Amino acid sequence: MSRTAMRASEKDFENARNQLKLLMKDPGNEVKLKLYALYKQATEGPCNTPKPSMLDFINKAKWDAWNALGSLPKETARQNYVDLVSSLSPSSESSSQVKPAAANEKQPGSENIIVTSQDGITKIMFNRPTKKNAITTSMYKEIIHALKAASTDNSAITVFTGNGDYYSSGNDLTNFTDVPPNSIEETAKNASILLREFVDAFIDFPKPLVAVINGPAVGIVVTLLGLFDVVYASDKATFHTPFSELGQSPEGCASYTFPKIMGPAKAAEMLIFGKKLTAGEACARGLVTEVFPESTFQKEVWTRLKAYAKLPTNSLRISKELIRSNEKEKLHAVNAEECTVLQGRWLSEECMNALMNFVSRKSKL
Ligand SMILES: CCCCC/C=C/C(=O)SCCNC(=O)CCNC(=O)[C@H](O)C(C)(C)COP(=O)(O)OP(=O)(O)OC[C@H]1O[C@@H](n2cnc3c(N)ncnc32)[C@H](O)[C@@H]1OP(=O)(O)O
């Protein structure tokens, strides 16, 4: 995680490497692969070596882990490496001087969510480009954690965006397919609890929340937009909520926010019939604040956000509070209801068939 006030220095990086050698407990293969990938990215930059053969299991796993970091900047990789090592050895102090809450509390998580803080902006980025940034169970937890940290860090605004060609393809459908038959009900119950906590974190988020929609958005990442304060989209973004096709039902409070934002008929077209919108259509319906040409999108949006982030922080919070506070109670009730209904949907034959279709590649949305 890079920080407003500091970035991991060469010295921090070197200390982290030494700290790693002193670890009492083996952190396990998954973490070791992450450390390897971050180390390579920090020292050599993006992976550009030939992919090892399928039978060369170890080197293939290492290559995959490194390659998955895409174009992550060297400095960010260095900071993430330092953070990861530090999270593995809670008793030892990192040599970094300023550590916001998120850094101290960070779990040895995946790099599927990247949180950075710079120029008064905390950026939470979906970083699973090879899977179109589909959100796994652990990513939901990491996002909840990141939002809690961002709500008390010293940034003025918090921004969600995606790495790669997609903003996000929504819920990772394999969250529900890799489940033994006798634990389906328990899985649905746990997912419903997790979803409720996840959406609550957005409802309660106290600072201006901005979405920078760099590409197509599907499912929950679309419904959540009703809880964002500003939504900027590239003209290559699309907005799709294929709930009926999946045998599911709306979440993210969209059953309440979408009719308010665009009127019940337009909301029904999206949430019931799964009509996919272009960025221009989503803007005309009030779901998107402004659309930018892809060629200038990143530059224009981040320039604007950096300027907004210089505004007085307390004033930003207070204005958001005034706009949103009257609705909070209602939103929590809607969230609870949507999660209960979805729990039932996940156990339905319609939903199970749709998930099986996805897995067996019979259907692409
Ligand atoms: C616990 C909380 C629950 C919250 C409830 C949330 C509900 C939702 O979000 S509903 C929406 C769920 N999302 C979808 O239904 C999208 C499913 N994906 C697709 O339809 C397509 O993959 C696509 C249109 C997003 C992209 O198509 P295409 O350009 O042809 O690319 P690929 O299909 O080849 O995708 C590359 C790679 O990524 C995997 N992948 C993409 N999206 C998902 C996903 N949502 N879940 C799991 N995996 C996903 C895809 O399977 C490919 O993997 P590989 O075959 O291994 O390369």
Side-chain angles (χ1 to χ4, degrees):
M1 234 181 271
S2 72
R3 311 265 170 252
T4 310
M6 58 109 221
R7 284 211 164 155
S9 62
E10 290 287 352
K11 181 106 182 59
D12 292 331
F13 190 55
E14 193 54 35
N15 284 347
R17 288 191 62 203
N18 293 332
Q19 211 174 312
L20 195 58
K21 293 182 197 144
L22 300 174
L23 271 189
M24 304 293 278
K25 203 173 137 215
D26 185 332
N29 285 339
E30 209 186 330
V31 174
K32 282 198 267 192
L33 274 177
K34 275 173 208 147
L35 287 165
Y36 168 82
L38 287 169
Y39 180 78
K40 295 292 273 184
Q41 191 86 3
T43 52
E44 295 177 34
C47 173
N48 59 8
T49 59
K51 186 174 184 170
S53 94
M54 293 296 285
L55 297 176
D56 187 0
F57 298 114
I58 295 178
N59 284 321
K60 165 87 172 27
K62 287 164 121 179
W63 187 93
D64 282 342
W66 183 14
N67 191 46
L69 295 181
S71 56
L72 186 72
K74 276 185 169 183
E75 302 73 41
T76 312
R78 193 162 67 186
Q79 180 69 56
N80 290 352
Y81 181 92
V82 170
D83 285 344
L84 182 50
V85 172
S86 145
S87 70
L88 294 172
S89 40
S91 57
S92 51
E93 294 254 316
S94 145
S95 59
S96 303
Q97 287 167 358
V98 185
K99 285 241 170 195
N104 293 331
E105 290 162 19
K106 191 177 177 204
Q107 301 301 313
S110 66
E111 293 304 317
N112 292 336
I113 296 293
I114 295 187
V115 186
T116 52
S117 198
Q118 213 169 6
D119 299 319
I121 301 171
T122 290
K123 179 167 86 173
I124 302 176
M125 184 167 71
F126 303 114
N127 182 42
R128 222 182 148 219
T130 55
K131 298 285 181 187
K132 309 292 182 196
N133 294 330
I135 308 174
T136 60
T137 301
S138 61
M139 286 164 74
Y140 286 107
K141 294 178 186 166
E142 286 176 51
I143 293 170
I144 294 170
H145 190 75
L147 281 172
K148 291 211 168 111
S151 68
T152 55
D153 70 12
N154 55 10
S155 64
I157 60 181
T158 298
V159 179
F160 274 79
T161 194
N163 184 19
D165 59 342
Y166 262 64
Y167 176 65
S168 164
S169 62
N171 189 39
D172 187 312
L173 295 176
T174 63
N175 287 341
F176 292 117
T177 53
D178 301 334
V179 179
N182 58 355
S183 27
I184 291 174
E185 293 203 355
E186 200 191 334
T187 303
K189 187 171 166 217
N190 290 339
S192 174
I193 292 168
L194 177 62
L195 177 62
R196 185 164 169 192
E197 195 190 340
F198 178 72
V199 176
D200 276 346
F202 285 83
I203 297 172
D204 291 328
F205 193 70
K207 297 178 183 178
L209 200 50
V210 179
V212 171
I213 313 281
N214 53 298
V218 187
I220 186 157
V221 297
V222 177
T223 55
L224 280 175
L225 295 178
L227 301 175
F228 278 68
D229 301 299
V230 165
V231 178
Y232 293 138
S234 151
D235 60 8
K236 79 177 174 90
T238 53
F239 299 83
H240 191 195
T241 47
F243 299 126
S244 300
E245 202 165 335
L246 290 166
Q248 299 187 26
S249 52
E251 19 55 0
C253 294
S255 61
Y256 175 71
T257 58
F258 276 30
K260 272 194 83 174
I261 291 169
M262 59 187 82
K266 297 285 189 196
E269 212 182 6
M270 283 190 81
L271 296 177
I272 302 179
F273 296 123
K275 180 179 162 75
K276 188 197 280 189
L277 302 189
T278 63
E281 288 167 339
C283 192
R285 290 182 183 198
L287 187 63
V288 164
T289 312
E290 192 172 335
V291 181
F292 297 80
E294 170 60 15
S295 56
T296 56
F297 177 59
Q298 297 290 344
K299 190 159 182 276
E300 285 195 58
V301 163
W302 289 107
T303 304
R304 192 181 295 187
L305 290 175
K306 280 179 196 168
Y308 288 164
K310 291 199 175 99
L311 292 165
T313 314
N314 289 335
S315 184
L316 293 176
R317 265 176 185 265
I318 288 164
S319 298
K320 166 155 183 167
E321 174 78 7
L322 278 173
I323 295 170
R324 296 273 171 183
S325 62
N326 294 332
E327 296 230 292
K328 265 196 190 170
E329 209 176 313
K330 174 72 184 169
L331 289 169
H332 283 300
V334 170
N335 182 27
E337 173 70 7
E338 287 179 345
C339 292
T340 304
V341 172
L342 247 183
Q343 187 177 332
R345 287 278 80 214
W346 288 327
L347 299 173
S348 71
E349 206 181 320
E350 288 177 343
C351 181
M352 294 203 190
N353 287 340
L355 293 176
M356 286 309 124
N357 278 345
F358 177 77
V359 170
S360 61
R361 300 287 172 182
K362 280 188 210 139
S363 98
K364 276 268 171 82
L365 296 166

